């Protein structure tokens, strides 16, 4: 006889129930209850298929499918009593189904296992999150396009090494992030398409002797097709790894942009003003307006990439097929998904609300000898100097301006000719910031025309 306290789902061969510590390490119900809706959708599809293939009766399938809806509404209303002794969401739902509909509940688990069940539930959950990420990325890209369009020809300093390099346009800078988040979007879509194969019906690992119809359940659950190898189907967590690595790369992009917003909103830069809605105050310094949302977005990459590393390490070296190690997949993905969606939404909100300081950007654009390259290019184009010589002449002029405490356009023609006698008045035309950006007409360059062409292309895509 089986001990009363052994597990009602698998306790047949056990004489005693688990130690409390065993129960604590084994249970996943504390977190996998987040997959309740997916678990019930999978079970309802499975029950319908079992009836369609004649494995169970129509009336049993009917009772199971209706009973599962009752269980779902109990979970959604918060009245459901989750039990740690029942380990996970799968057995919690099934046990409750038995209490609600009685004997037919015991037929639901025919031709499947918790191994294909959990893979199915988790895939459905992750698939929803890919869709949420797509929505969040599209919204962020649209917000960036609005900023880019408003300031397609606003000049600002472009940096390398965070030193003033050459003038660029605000629109161009915004569009750089559109390209980055656009690649994230394509990774999301790519991974979502690849993952969309149904594990259901792979059963424990080898498939089943029941005449199941895996195409039917795949279709009912919105999968493109059933996964073609049952061993792989139950042991594959690539979809979760791709989700986390895609999230990680996107979080890197978010953190880079967040860092720029932190710098740009400082009193020293004043390139942008973040809205009150996305800033906080200091409890001691009344003048402070802190870019906390940007800082937190900058930080999120830590936990998201941490989740990626954690799951990579969980999966490393696991033999086929299912191992309980894989239960460690969910908390990482749940946490990363929550924080990724939050970071995307916060960034979208900040970008929508922020105001670029057009005058401040323009003033900064002209400082730091930002048109020195234009001067060197003029020496090449008009005087026919080799670029290396032009570079040298320009360097001398920069040193001269620095010594005089002025910018390049402030040097007199005499000053210029003292360094190279052939320089003419015409040189001043390339020293303005506006002419500098307007001249950068190469494909993908910072000229407003080029930026507007890219905005147009993206607007047609998103
Ligand atoms: N809670 C388990 C998980 O998340 C479900 C699968 C359990 N399978 C098993 N053979 N014990 O992975």
């Amino acid at each position: 006889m089986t001990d009363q306290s052994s597990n009602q789902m698998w306790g047949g061969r056990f004489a005693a129930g688990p130690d409390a510590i065993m129960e604590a390490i084994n249970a996943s119900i504390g977190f996998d209850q987040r997959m309740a809706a997916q678990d019930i959708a999978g079970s309802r599809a499975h029950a319908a298929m079992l009836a369609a293939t004649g494995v169970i009766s129509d009336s049993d399938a009917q009772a199971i499918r209706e009973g599962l809806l009752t269980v779902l509404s109990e979970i959604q209303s918060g009245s459901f009593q989750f039990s740690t002794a029942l380990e996970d969401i799968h057995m919690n739902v099934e046990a409750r189904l038995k209490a609600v509909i009685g004997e037919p509940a015991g037929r639901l688990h025919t031709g499947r296992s918790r191994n294909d069940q959990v893979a199915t539930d988790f895939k459905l959950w992750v698939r929803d999150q890919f869709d949420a990420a797509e929505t969040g990325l599209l919204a962020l890209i649209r917000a960036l396009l609005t900023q880019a369009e408003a300031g397609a020809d606003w000049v600002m300093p472009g940096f390398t090494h965070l030193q003033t390099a050459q003038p660029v346009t605000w629109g161009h800078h915004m569009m750089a992030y559109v390209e980055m988040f656009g690649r994230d979007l394509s990774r999301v879509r790519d991974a979502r398409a690849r993952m969309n194969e149904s594990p259901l019906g792979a059963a424990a690992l080898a498939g089943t002797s029941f005449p199941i119809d895996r195409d039917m359940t795949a279709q009912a659950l919105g999968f493109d097709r059933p996964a073609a190898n049952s061993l792989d189907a139950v042991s594959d967590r690539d979809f979760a790894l791709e989700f986390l690595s895609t999230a990680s790369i996107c979080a890197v992009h978010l953190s880079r942009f967040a860092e720029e917003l932190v710098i740009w909103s400082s009193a020293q830069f004043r390139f942008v003003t973040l809205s009150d809605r996305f800033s906080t105050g200091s409890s001691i310094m009344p003048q402070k307006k802190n870019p906390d949302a940007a800082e937190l977005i900058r930080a999120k990459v830590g936990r998201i990439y941490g989740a990626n590393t954690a799951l990579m390490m969980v999966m490393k070296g696991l033999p086929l097929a299912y191992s309980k190690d894989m239960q460690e997949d969910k908390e990482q993905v749940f946490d990363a998904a929550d924080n990724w969606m939050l970071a995307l939404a916060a960034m979208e909100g900040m970008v929508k609300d922020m105001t670029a300081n057009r005058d401040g950007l323009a003033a900064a654009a002209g400082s730091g000898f930002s048109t020195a390259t234009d001067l060197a290019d003029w020496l090449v184009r008009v005087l026919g100097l080799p670029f290396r010589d032009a570079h040298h002449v320009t360097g001398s002029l920069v040193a001269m301006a620095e010594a005089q405490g002025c910018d390049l356009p402030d040097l007199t023609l005499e000053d210029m000719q003292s360094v190279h006698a052939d320089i003419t008045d015409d040189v001043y035309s390339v020293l303005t910031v506006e002419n500098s950006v307007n001249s950068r007409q190469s494909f993908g360059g910072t000229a407003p025309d080029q930026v507007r062409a890219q905005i147009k292309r993206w607007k047609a895509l998103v």
Side-chain angles (χ1 to χ4, degrees):
M1 260 317 277
T2 306
D3 185 278
Q4 284 301 320
S5 57
S6 69
N7 188 293
Q8 57 175 285
M9 294 291 157
W10 44 248
R13 73 168 332 270
F14 286 79
D19 188 273
I21 293 173
M22 177 62 212
E23 196 170 285
I25 196 172
N26 200 35
S28 54
I29 189 61
F31 48 87
D32 68 13
Q33 53 184 269
R34 283 188 72 165
M35 307 192 305
Q38 289 76 13
D39 191 69
I40 286 170
S43 288
R44 295 188 81 238
H46 185 66
M49 180 277 291
L50 290 178
T53 53
V55 177
I56 66 173
S57 70
D58 284 341
S59 59
D60 281 348
Q62 176 88 352
I64 289 169
R65 283 169 54 79
E66 277 171 17
L68 284 167
L69 289 183
T70 304
V71 177
L72 180 62
S73 67
E74 288 175 1
I75 292 172
Q76 285 169 342
S77 74
S79 67
F80 192 96
Q81 290 292 320
F82 290 107
S83 151
T84 309
L86 288 167
E87 278 183 44
D88 55 27
I89 187 63
H90 324 295
M91 298 202 296
N92 269 268
V93 168
E94 196 185 317
R96 181 64 193 146
L97 181 68
K98 178 128 190 267
V100 174
I101 68 166
E103 190 262 350
R107 301 189 188 280
L108 170 61
H109 214 50
T110 314
R112 76 168 185 189
S113 144
R114 272 189 296 156
N115 297 348
D116 58 337
Q117 193 178 353
V118 72
T120 304
D121 295 1
F122 197 32
K123 268 196 166 181
L124 292 173
W125 197 92
V126 170
R127 195 176 68 184
D128 282 348
Q129 295 300 310
F130 271 126
D131 291 343
E134 177 175 35
T135 304
L137 280 163
L138 284 169
L140 174 55
I141 289 170
R142 289 188 194 114
L144 286 163
L145 286 171
T146 302
Q147 283 286 353
E149 205 162 30
D153 58 0
W154 299 356
V155 290
M156 67 178 283
F159 301 93
T160 59
H161 316 265
L162 199 55
Q163 308 289 318
T164 301
Q166 294 173 353
V168 295
T169 49
W170 170 258
H172 197 48
H173 202 113
M174 292 299 107
M175 291 306 288
Y177 284 103
V178 167
E179 292 292 333
M180 291 154 83
F181 294 122
R183 286 192 296 275
D184 293 328
L185 181 64
S186 96
R187 269 184 283 275
V188 163
R189 289 173 169 164
D190 192 42
R192 192 220 190 268
R194 187 166 28 256
M195 71 163 289
N196 204 28
E197 295 186 341
S198 173
L200 195 57
L205 74 168
T208 175
S209 57
F210 292 100
I212 61 169
D213 181 349
R214 294 191 58 208
D215 287 301
M216 184 178 165
T217 46
Q219 206 189 353
L221 296 169
F223 288 111
D224 295 327
R225 65 191 79 83
N229 182 300
S230 62
L231 287 167
D232 176 52
V234 294
S235 67
D236 166 37
R237 292 294 180 274
D238 288 6
F239 60 96
L241 292 172
E242 284 202 65
F243 180 80
L244 293 174
S245 52
T246 301
S248 295
I249 297 173
C250 181
V252 168
H253 295 155
L254 287 166
S255 81
R256 294 180 71 175
F257 193 25
E259 165 70 353
E260 296 208 307
L261 294 180
V262 170
I263 295 175
W264 290 356
S265 62
S266 68
Q268 288 68 29
F269 270 75
R270 288 191 191 286
F271 282 7
V272 297
T273 306
L274 300 175
S275 73
D276 287 357
R277 299 183 342 130
F278 285 94
S279 310
T280 56
S282 158
S283 54
I284 176 170
M285 296 165 283
Q287 86 285 8
K288 291 290 289 291
K289 186 172 155 187
N290 294 328
D292 292 41
E295 295 168 89
L296 288 162
I297 292 170
R298 186 171 61 184
K300 291 295 185 195
V301 65
R303 67 200 294 165
I304 293 173
Y305 190 72
N308 184 50
T309 308
L311 188 56
M312 288 281 185
M313 290 306 100
V314 166
M315 296 308 295
K316 176 198 168 293
L318 284 188
L320 298 183
Y322 178 85
S323 298
K324 197 61 173 265
D325 309 51
M326 288 157 69
Q327 181 168 287
E328 291 284 312
D329 55 4
K330 288 166 210 70
E331 286 163 292
Q332 302 298 339
V333 172
F334 291 164
D335 185 75
D338 290 344
N339 283 283
W340 187 18
M341 301 319 145
L342 189 56
L344 283 171
M347 186 58 97
E348 183 215 347
M350 269 197 304
V351 172
K352 262 188 179 157
D353 277 17
M354 75 182 178
T355 330
N357 173 5
R358 185 177 181 176
D359 295 338
L361 289 170
S367 69
F369 313 108
S370 66
T371 55
T373 315
D374 300 271
L375 174 52
D377 287 350
W378 184 90
L379 295 168
V380 170
R381 200 170 50 246
V382 179
L383 301 188
L385 265 58
F387 184 78
R388 278 289 147 233
D389 297 350
H391 187 284
H392 197 78
V393 168
T394 306
S396 305
L397 289 168
V398 166
M400 181 183 277
E402 200 162 35
Q404 295 185 16
C406 68
D407 281 321
L408 283 173
D410 305 323
L411 291 174
T412 64
L413 185 58
E414 275 178 358
D415 284 339
M416 299 245 194
Q417 288 171 339
S418 74
V419 176
H420 196 289
D422 298 342
I423 297 178
T424 67
D425 227 16
D426 178 60
V427 76
Y428 291 99
S429 70
V430 301
L431 297 183
T432 69
V433 169
E434 280 71 21
N435 286 343
S436 170
V437 297
N438 283 327
S439 73
R440 294 210 154 48
Q441 291 286 355
S442 53
F443 177 79
T446 203
D449 291 347
Q450 288 298 324
V451 172
R452 289 195 182 98
Q454 293 305 321
I455 294 172
K456 194 173 163 207
R457 180 174 71 84
W458 273 101
K459 282 179 93 174
L461 293 173
V462 300

